[in-house]
């Protein structure tokens, strides 16, 4: 399955990309970088470094817009670390970005395989909104679109009601939902082409713990030291597998952030869930709804609203994720990423 990923890498975006690279049923055809967790140039560096680490150097990486469509840019180094990957350091490389930007990369990828491409967005929707401005037929050109973003009948993580990816660029998110809504109205797309939206109500069920990380290391054949909340902050991984060591160093920062938020010594794997759903939508239960984004509320800007009962009288423009089995997700994640890490190490 050809997949195009638009990311703001970011600890959990990195885990999502590794999952795609580890999945034999996925062909990652391109990566769009968008500013979000860190600024767009750092996201580009992270994407290129991660591909180098994973021996996937042929995958094109594009740079996205500097800024949201109209909001001021914000980043989240407190959540993801100064460079976006927690305590991890990525390898040096000589690779370059594509000569075209992320919006054009979306359009090129969709045109190259009309009706086949699976789009995945795990960052703000700026690039995708710009791509739809350039190519209004994008909704009908994609086979499937999966978005990590929003929060449905559930609290936010950036304001009391808004989720980070939507909150960074609410106007872009509104344009994307509107574009898919218009395509549904015009009957130029089928139900399976409506975006599957994985909001916090879904992704916060996916809690990675030190025990699960130890299971991942074991599945790779690595020897490591189990992480503990009692460890000194910033303790570095001792894993003898390079990919596992990198992921553990990245995840520790994310664990510490979640701990400081009162969530426990764990981390929500928002973006890896969305990546897994991109390859297999049956991992989640969804409900069709009309989704829109609050742009003007004095307290609620960036809130995603699902009109479950069609009170607005508008066609459904999304399948909103409402249920997931975390154990099934983690089994799949570990059975793919563990052996991938083992293979990479053997090739070193
Ligand atoms: C989303 O925000 C980012 O910090 C994460 O990478 C994820 O995409 C969760 O709200
Ligand atoms: Ca992200």
């Amino acid at each position: 399955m050809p997949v195009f990923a638009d990311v703001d890498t970011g600890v959990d975006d990195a885990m999502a990309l590794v999952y795609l690279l580890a999945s034999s049923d996925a062909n990652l055809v391109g990566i769009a970088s968008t500013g979000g967790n860190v600024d767009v140039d750092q996201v580009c560096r992270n994407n290129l470094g991660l591909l180098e680490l994973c021996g996937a150097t042929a995958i094109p990486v594009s740079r996205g817009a500097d800024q949201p469509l109209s909001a001021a840019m914000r980043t989240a180094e407190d959540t993801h670390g100064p460079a976006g990957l927690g305590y991890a350091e990525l390898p040096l490389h000589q690779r370059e970005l594509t000569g075209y930007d992320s919006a054009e990369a979306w359009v090129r990828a969709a045109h190259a395989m009309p009706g086949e491409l699976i789009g995945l967005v795990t960052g703000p929707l700026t690039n995708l909104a710009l791509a739809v401005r350039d190519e209004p037929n994008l909704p009908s050109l994609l086979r499937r679109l999966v978005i990590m973003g929003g929060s449905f009948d559930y609290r936010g993580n950036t304001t009391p009601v808004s989720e980070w990816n939507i909150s960074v660029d609410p106007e872009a998110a509104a344009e994307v939902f509107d574009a898919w809504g218009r395509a549904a109205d015009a009957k130029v797309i089928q139900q399976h082409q409506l975006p599957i939206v994985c909001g916090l109500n879904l992704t916060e069920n996916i809690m990675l713990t030190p025990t699960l990380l130890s299971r991942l290391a074991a599945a790779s054949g690595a020897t490591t030291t189990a992480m503990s909340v009692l460890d000194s902050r910033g303790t570095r991984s001792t894993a003898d597998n390079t990919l596992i060591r990198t992921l553990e160093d990245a995840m520790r920062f994310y664990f510490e952030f979640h701990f400081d938020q009162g969530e426990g010594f764990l981390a929500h794997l928002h973006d890896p869930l969305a990546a897994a759903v991109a390859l297999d939508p049956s991992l989640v239960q969804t409900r069709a709804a009309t989704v829109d984004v609050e742009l003007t509320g004095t307290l609620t800007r960036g809130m995603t609203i699902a009109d479950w009962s069609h009170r607005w009288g508008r066609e459904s423009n999304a399948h909103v994720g409402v249920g997931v089995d975390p154990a099934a997700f983690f089994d799949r994640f570990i059975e793919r990423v563990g052996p991938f890490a083992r293979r990479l190490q053997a090739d070193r």
Side-chain angles (χ1 to χ4, degrees), residues 6-14 37 80 121-124 148 163-165 254 270-271:
D6 192 329
V7 292
D8 64 333
T9 318
V11 173
D12 60 328
D13 303 77
N37 292 324
H80 294 268
V121 186
T122 65
M148 190 284 129
E163 179 278 331
W164 173 258
N165 290 338
Y254 215 33
H270 311 280
D271 298 344

Side-chain angles (χ1 to χ4, degrees), residues 106 110 113-120 128 132 136-147 176-197 278 281 286 288-289 315-320:
W106 267 105
M113 47 202 98
E116 287 179 49
L117 189 67
I118 297 174
L120 169 69
L128 183 54
V132 181
N137 293 321
L138 204 53
S140 62
L141 286 166
L142 296 182
R143 169 178 167 196
R144 182 184 302 149
L145 174 64
V146 177
I147 295 170
V176 166
F177 286 115
D178 183 54
W180 262 259
R182 277 186 284 111
D185 264 344
K187 309 225 179 301
V188 296
I189 57 171
Q190 297 177 294
Q191 279 295 306
H192 71 265
Q193 290 172 299
L194 292 179
I196 301 172
V197 188
T286 61
E315 200 69 50
S316 293
N317 61 357
H319 298 294
V320 178

